[in-house]
Amino acid sequence: YGPATSTAISANNQKKGNNNLVVACLQIGLHAHNISLSAGVDKIFGVSTEQGVKAFQISNGLTTDGIAGNDTFSRIVK
């Protein structure tokens, strides 16, 4: 996770409604941090992923907005 990734994430924050491979990576990262998603890893940023992101943000002292941006992604990869 370096400057190029940070720039790409800044331009493409992941939020409810997105459906792509970045969401799948986010879901895998949440699972790696013991955050269960009822929908599993499906590439769809739905209610399950939004709740997982919020839970992760709360447990890591991040702004709890349910949007996976730089702060959330950089903390997931640490």
Side-chain angles (χ1 to χ4, degrees), residues 10 28 43 69 78:
S10 292
I28 292 166
K43 299 188 323 179
K78 288 186 180 183

Side-chain angles (χ1 to χ4, degrees), residues 8-62:
I9 293 298
S10 292
N12 297 288
N13 288 342
Q14 298 302 304
K15 60 186 180 287
K16 193 172 177 185
N18 289 121
N19 181 347
N20 57 56
L21 290 175
V22 177
V23 173
C25 292
L26 169 64
Q27 292 168 331
I28 292 166
L30 292 170
H31 276 286
H33 285 275
N34 297 314
I35 303 218
S36 295
L37 306 175
S38 61
V41 177
D42 61 1
K43 299 188 323 179
I44 300 168
F45 199 127
V47 173
S48 173
T49 302
E50 183 180 44
Q51 290 172 345
V53 168
K54 286 180 178 180
F56 180 80
Q57 290 170 331
I58 288 169
S59 68
N60 284 273
L62 300 171

